Amino acid sequence: MVFLWLKRYMPRSLYGRAFLILLLPVTSLLLVVSVVSAQRLFEGVTRQMTVSAAREVQLLRESQDPEPLASALSIAVRAVPPKDVPVTNHRHWYDATGIVIISTLEEHLQHLLAVDLSHPQYVGLYLQGDDGPLRLTLDRRRFSVSNLHQLFVNMVFFGVVMTLIAYLYLRNQLRPITRLASAAEAYGRGRTVPYRAAGATEVRAAGNAFLDMRARIDRQIEQRTLMLSGVSHDLRTPLTRLKLSLAMLDSDEDRDPMLRDVRDMERLLDAFLDFARGASEGEAEPVDPAALLRRIVEDCTRSNVPVTLHEVTGTGTVMLRKLAIRRAIDNLIGNAVRYGTHAELSMVLTDRTLRIRVEDDGPGIPEERIDEALRPFTRLEASRNQDKGPGVGLGLSIALDIARAHGGSLRLGPSQRLGGLCADLVIAR
């Protein structure tokens, strides 16, 4: 719970998280070890070099004839007035070896007044001489190594090279996982893409399990469709005989009610068959949803169905199973005009989603019973009148199955404009 705030900064993709898991510990360990090793190494070297320089300075101070010795040691010596002597030592904040130089000089030079490390190439030492303060100028290379950055340059260079090699290897290992995720996502949207299990043993096992699951689901859908198709075909034969027998009756009073019952039974069989097909008809193809809605409205107008197109926003095509989507919209329209007097269609197409809305002015569905309304073979007697039509409670279920087969969902709620039911068919692009 303490680290929940870190989630917003974590990578979202599998590549990013795996690369972070690989890079963060290795980089941290390499950085700590390199810094500690460099610090120990350069501190020891700097201390030894500073001790040698301090001994030369001490030898020069104790010499009776310092000028030839100063020339031989390449040390510039000059007298300075007391006011020019710094009160404190001067050192840049980024000078890593300066602290070691100052502490070592203070330890080995008794008459040291101050150390000036402000110049990158020279070191200024202020000593108390017999006749007053002296300034000794020495080359900085006599106190510390000049190529301190080489270790860090090599560390960064080889660290980047090894990280790139590790990334390439990691990408090859993660590619089968992303292919599996893409195949599963495509199958969830009603498309079957070629997929072959590859990669490590665990990834192969997951891929083979996905292939087996996809095959079982396809077989189950095919068996359900074949079963209901067979039942529907077998029942249509006696129903046809009944219709012929009823047509031969002389009394209209006895014949008409029974013919209506036979026609209702045929519609129920068609509903069962539509439910069995679901979204399995046809292959996904680029479809212009705006043109599809206009065609549906035109067909409804010719059939005297009170449907109008309210609003269309966005242009483009979406990968859809055209027959299945049309069946879902037709079911929503039929549900709307059965319990209301008018239905309106609208569409919003964005870069990420397609939303098709069907609204009516009927009684609507109570919010607490929306989940129940989406179940197959369920009719809400309290909110839907059974006398409105011979439906068997599969219209919304079929629309929901088709939406899920396209990777989307069906959302039900109250219509703010018409006051009835608002059904949103939302599909991810």
Side-chain angles (χ1 to χ4, degrees):
M1 298 298 291
V2 180
F3 299 99
L4 287 178
W5 61 274
L6 286 175
K7 286 187 175 181
R8 68 181 66 181
Y9 304 105
M10 293 293 292
R12 298 295 181 183
S13 64
L14 180 61
Y15 277 115
R17 294 191 177 188
F19 190 64
L20 184 62
I21 293 173
L22 171 68
L23 184 64
L24 189 59
V26 174
T27 303
S28 302
L29 181 61
L30 181 63
L31 185 62
V32 170
V33 171
S34 300
V35 170
V36 172
S37 299
Q39 183 180 7
R40 294 292 180 88
L41 174 63
F42 287 108
E43 277 187 5
V45 174
T46 301
R47 185 176 296 276
Q48 293 179 7
M49 297 177 67
T50 305
V51 170
S52 299
R55 290 174 179 174
E56 294 176 357
V57 172
Q58 186 67 24
L59 179 63
L60 179 62
R61 186 181 180 281
E62 295 176 354
S63 174
Q64 299 296 329
D65 189 8
E67 293 184 3
L69 184 60
S71 178
L73 296 176
S74 299
I75 300 177
V77 182
R78 66 182 178 87
V80 294
K83 64 179 181 178
D84 292 343
V85 178
V87 180
T88 59
N89 301 319
H90 289 175
R91 179 185 68 87
H92 293 293
W93 63 270
Y94 54 82
D95 191 352
T97 59
I99 299 177
V100 180
I101 294 174
I102 294 174
S103 62
T104 305
L105 290 175
E106 290 177 346
E107 181 181 351
H108 290 82
L109 294 178
Q110 298 179 356
H111 300 85
L112 183 64
L113 299 177
V115 180
D116 184 10
L117 299 177
S118 59
H119 198 280
Q121 298 181 356
Y122 302 101
V123 176
L125 303 180
Y126 293 88
L127 298 175
Q128 182 62 43
D130 296 335
D131 298 330
L134 298 175
R135 174 183 170 86
L136 281 68
T137 304
L138 294 82
D139 194 339
R140 178 62 185 263
R141 290 176 294 181
R142 301 174 66 175
F143 293 86
S144 61
V145 294
S146 58
N147 56 353
L148 178 64
H149 65 284
Q150 290 185 359
L151 175 64
F152 296 100
V153 172
N154 291 331
M155 178 189 69
V156 172
F157 174 75
F158 289 105
V160 171
V161 171
M162 296 305 298
T163 301
L164 290 177
I165 295 175
Y167 173 74
L168 294 176
Y169 179 78
L170 183 64
R171 186 182 64 176
N172 291 332
Q173 296 300 313
L174 294 180
R175 185 179 293 129
I177 300 178
T178 57
R179 290 180 58 247
L180 174 60
S182 300
E185 182 180 5
Y187 187 67
R189 295 184 178 182
R191 301 192 302 269
T192 301
V193 298
Y195 172 75
R196 181 177 61 85
T201 304
E202 293 79 2
V203 181
R204 286 177 179 268
N208 291 326
F210 166 73
L211 292 175
D212 294 340
M213 179 194 68
R214 188 170 70 178
R216 288 195 300 269
I217 293 175
D218 291 339
R219 285 196 302 269
Q220 181 182 7
I221 295 175
E222 183 180 1
Q223 291 173 359
R224 186 184 70 170
T225 304
L226 291 175
M227 180 189 68
L228 291 181
S229 298
V231 172
S232 175
H233 179 270
D234 293 340
L235 289 179
R236 288 181 189 277
T237 301
L239 286 177
T240 303
R241 289 199 298 265
L242 285 175
K243 290 173 64 176
L244 291 175
S245 300
L246 292 175
M248 298 176 65
L249 292 178
D250 296 332
S251 176
D252 294 338
E253 296 179 358
D254 296 333
R255 181 182 59 211
D256 292 341
M258 288 187 287
L259 284 175
R260 284 196 299 269
D261 292 338
V262 172
R263 286 192 293 268
D264 291 344
M265 292 179 66
E266 288 181 339
R267 282 192 289 267
L268 293 178
L269 288 175
D270 293 336
F272 289 148
L273 190 58
D274 291 340
F275 179 69
R277 292 195 190 102
S280 60
E281 283 186 315
E283 295 292 334
E285 58 180 327
V287 176
D288 184 359
L292 178 62
L293 288 185
R294 293 188 180 96
R295 191 175 304 112
I296 291 175
V297 172
E298 292 175 359
D299 294 342
C300 291
T301 302
R302 286 195 296 267
S303 302
N304 296 323
V305 179
V307 178
T308 58
L309 187 61
H310 172 64
E311 181 183 10
V312 174
T313 303
T315 59
T317 60
V318 184
M319 295 297 295
L320 301 172
R321 295 176 185 260
K322 189 174 182 180
L323 294 178
I325 288 295
R326 170 143 193 173
R327 182 184 299 116
I329 298 175
D330 288 340
N331 287 343
L332 295 177
I333 292 175
N335 190 75
V337 299
R338 180 179 298 122
Y339 302 106
T341 61
H342 180 69
E344 290 186 353
L345 270 69
S346 59
M347 184 206 76
V348 176
L349 180 62
T350 64
D351 295 336
R352 303 186 63 179
T353 59
L354 166 66
R355 191 198 69 192
I356 300 175
R357 173 171 291 181
V358 180
E359 298 179 88
D360 62 59
D361 55 354
I365 298 177
E367 184 177 357
E368 65 275 5
R369 305 195 67 183
I370 289 179
D371 293 338
E372 182 181 355
L374 293 174
R375 298 173 187 169
F377 308 103
T378 300
R379 294 178 59 96
L380 305 181
E381 299 179 3
S383 59
R384 302 293 189 180
N385 189 356
Q386 295 262 5
D387 297 332
K388 288 291 185 179
V392 73
L394 290 176
L396 296 178
S397 300
I398 294 173
L400 178 60
D401 286 346
I402 294 174
R404 288 176 175 174
H406 287 81
S409 62
L410 177 64
R411 304 171 185 172
L412 302 181
S415 174
Q416 300 297 329
R417 293 191 321 104
L418 301 181
L421 179 66
C422 174
D424 285 336
L425 191 66
V426 182
I427 297 175
R429 299 190 67 176

